[in-house]
């Protein structure tokens, strides 16, 4: 379904890593292991130069800044969760409900009236979850996408991300960034039988069902709303992050109308713009590989993958998936 990136776009000068299938570091020509497009991107007149590469230290520093700028996140008094059973590695695949109570005991729904939350929630019912069924996008749904992008770009968090990416010569203006966000997250591609049935946003935030299993679905707001309706049944968790405030991270098992998710992961209590911004950063900086970050002094990693079978613009890729990794 996914393959590691075989391009040097945005990767020039980054350190050698054995997990990469081809390389973009300064010695790759001598070692004859460069990606095919190394010269085009990393040559003297290339798209990227070593000064525009994003270092591990910069990722850690920026992620801490974004964590600090998440002013719309839940306060500790806004959410009460009940994780119950902690599943061992041998239990996650067993599809047994070991937690009789719902995951969410309480959520202060006043959060959902904040502009980024309300515009985010309006997007969640725009999708057919089954892959292989063409998505029909209405004019109203396009307006909802634009409204969400408009609201998140008003936040300090997304403005910090934009300033960093402009400094790295990834975008020349806010409009260029917003246009690219619209394509990478909302652009449609086919996971099924040639139908334009999926997008990064649908997969990551709303969730899909493919071959009888839940695919994607990494968002706490979506989970809470469906659990409240009785459509999601929480089974257990296999990881609970070290944070004593929000956002926290939970690795969890659940059923969605009878379809099972063996190991899902989600930030709990973050704002929509926090997840959207952090996943975007990692997709641009480390597509197809672990993106090592720091939040509140704790290390964690985000994994993203590009959709490799189709793209947009001049060789750009849609987001296939993005999720926080739980050990």
């Amino acid at each position: 379904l996914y393959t590691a990136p075989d391009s040097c776009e945005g990767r020039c000068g980054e350190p050698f890593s054995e997990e990469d299938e081809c390389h973009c570091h300064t010695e790759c020509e001598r070692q004859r292991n460069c990606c095919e497009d190394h010269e085009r991107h990393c040559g003297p007149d290339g798209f990227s130069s070593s000064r525009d590469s994003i270092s591990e230290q910069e990722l850690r520093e920026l992620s801490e800044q974004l964590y600090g700028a998440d002013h719309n996140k839940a306060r500790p008094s806004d959410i009460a969760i009940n994780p119950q059973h902690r599943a061992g590695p041998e239990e996650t695949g067993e599809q047994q409900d070991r937690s009789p109570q719902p995951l969410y005991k309480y959520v202060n729904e006043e959060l959902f009236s904040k502009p980024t939350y309300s515009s985010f929630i309006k997007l969640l019912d725009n999708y057919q979850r089954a892959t292989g069924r063409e998505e029909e996008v209405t004019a109203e749904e396009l307006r909802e996408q634009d409204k969400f992008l408009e609201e998140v770009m008003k936040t300090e968090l997304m403005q910090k991300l934009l300033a960093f990416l402009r400094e790295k010569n990834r975008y020349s203006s806010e409009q260029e960034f917003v246009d690219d966000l619209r394509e990478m997250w909302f652009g449609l591609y086919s996971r099924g039988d040639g139908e334009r049935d999926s997008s990064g946003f649908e997969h990551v935030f709303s969730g899909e069902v493919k071959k009888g299993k839940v695919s994607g679905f990494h968002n706490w707001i979506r989970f809470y709303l469906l659990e409240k309706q009785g459509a999601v049944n929480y089974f257990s968790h296999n990881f609970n992050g070290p944070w004593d405030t929000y956002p926290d991270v939970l690795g969890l098992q659940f059923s969605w109308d009878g379809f099972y998710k063996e190991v899902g992961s989600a930030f709990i209590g973050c704002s929509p713009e926090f997840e959207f911004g952090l996943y975007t950063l990692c997709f641009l900086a480390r597509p197809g590989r672990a993106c090592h970050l720091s939040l509140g002094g704790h290390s964690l990693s985000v994994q993203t993958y590009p959709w490799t079978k189709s793209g947009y613009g001049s060789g750009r890729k849609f987001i296939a998936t993005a999720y926080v990794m739980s050990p």
Side-chain angles (χ1 to χ4, degrees):
L1 183 58
Y2 310 121
T3 61
D6 55 1
S7 168
C8 280
E9 181 172 0
R11 294 176 54 202
C12 299
E14 73 177 23
F16 173 82
S17 171
E18 286 186 359
E19 61 191 54
D20 296 337
E21 64 179 58
C22 64
H23 303 280
C24 311
H25 57 85
T26 50
E27 295 291 302
C28 74
E29 288 187 357
R30 189 173 63 78
Q31 295 174 7
R32 299 186 179 180
N33 56 11
C34 298
C35 299
E36 286 185 11
D37 61 2
H38 177 263
E39 179 62 28
R40 179 162 68 89
H41 287 299
C42 308
D45 304 313
F47 166 85
S48 308
S49 65
S50 56
R51 72 176 182 277
D52 296 332
S53 67
I54 298 173
S55 70
E56 295 287 299
Q57 182 64 24
E58 285 172 324
L59 281 173
R60 293 178 69 83
E61 288 174 0
L62 180 61
S63 54
E64 284 288 5
Q65 290 174 23
L66 300 182
Y67 179 78
D70 189 11
H71 305 307
N72 287 325
K73 69 184 176 187
R75 296 161 304 185
S77 59
D78 287 330
I79 299 177
I81 62 171
N82 183 16
Q84 300 165 82
H85 182 77
R86 181 160 189 163
E90 71 288 348
E91 292 178 322
T92 57
E94 291 180 356
Q95 302 192 31
Q96 285 189 30
D97 182 0
R98 294 181 165 91
S99 300
Q101 303 300 315
L103 174 61
Y104 287 92
K105 289 199 285 192
Y106 169 76
V107 171
N108 177 8
E109 294 194 11
E110 286 181 16
L111 279 172
F112 300 160
S113 62
K114 294 185 177 191
T116 57
Y117 284 81
S118 60
S119 58
F120 172 83
I121 289 168
K122 282 195 171 121
L123 294 168
L124 295 175
D125 64 358
N126 290 354
Y127 301 102
Q128 301 185 64
R129 69 182 178 189
T131 58
R133 293 174 61 186
E134 180 99 17
E135 294 289 349
E136 293 180 16
V137 184
T138 66
E140 182 184 2
E141 288 171 355
L142 290 173
R143 284 194 295 274
E144 289 173 354
Q145 292 173 12
D146 287 343
K147 180 66 174 171
F148 173 70
L149 292 170
E150 178 189 325
E151 293 299 342
V152 296
M153 289 310 300
K154 290 177 184 174
T155 64
E156 180 190 345
L157 188 153
M158 289 298 285
Q159 287 297 323
K160 275 186 184 293
L161 175 59
L162 171 60
F164 176 81
L165 294 171
R166 289 190 67 174
E167 197 177 286
K168 292 293 182 181
N169 293 310
R170 302 302 170 97
Y171 299 98
S172 59
S173 67
E174 181 168 331
Q175 189 59 55
E176 185 188 355
F177 181 46
V178 170
D179 290 345
D180 199 33
L181 287 172
R182 186 182 295 107
E183 288 290 345
M184 76 170 79
W185 279 105
F186 295 105
L188 293 173
Y189 50 84
S190 173
R191 280 183 204 266
D193 306 314
E195 306 285 352
R196 293 168 74 236
D197 60 354
S198 188
S199 69
F201 186 92
E202 176 188 8
H203 181 85
V204 172
F205 294 108
S206 184
E208 299 181 291
V209 171
K210 184 179 172 86
K211 296 182 179 174
K213 291 184 178 179
V214 176
S215 182
F217 196 146
H218 298 286
N219 179 255
W220 76 270
I221 301 167
R222 174 72 161 161
F223 191 101
Y224 166 75
L225 293 172
L226 287 176
E227 186 177 62
K228 186 180 170 187
Q229 293 170 19
V232 159
N233 180 14
Y234 170 73
F235 280 18
S236 55
H237 71 287
N238 62 297
F239 173 76
N240 194 344
W243 293 269
D244 55 10
T245 183
Y246 295 116
D248 200 348
V249 176
L250 199 67
L252 64 166
Q253 293 69 51
F254 61 92
S255 160
W256 180 16
D257 287 338
F259 300 103
Y260 187 58
K261 181 75 174 181
E262 184 171 326
V263 180
S265 62
F267 285 107
I268 308 291
C270 66
S271 69
E273 61 267 27
F274 176 82
E275 260 182 306
F276 191 70
L278 211 64
Y279 290 158
T280 297
L281 168 65
C282 285
F283 183 68
L284 294 171
R286 299 288 187 270
R289 288 165 306 136
C291 176
H292 304 300
L293 308 173
S294 177
L295 300 182
H298 296 286
S299 296
L300 83 165
S301 300
V302 162
Q303 179 73 48
T304 67
Y305 287 103
W307 185 254
T308 58
K309 297 177 184 176
S310 59
Y312 64 93
S314 52
R316 297 196 174 192
K317 298 296 184 189
F318 301 113
I319 290 176
T321 193
Y323 53 91
V324 58
M325 288 200 272
S326 54

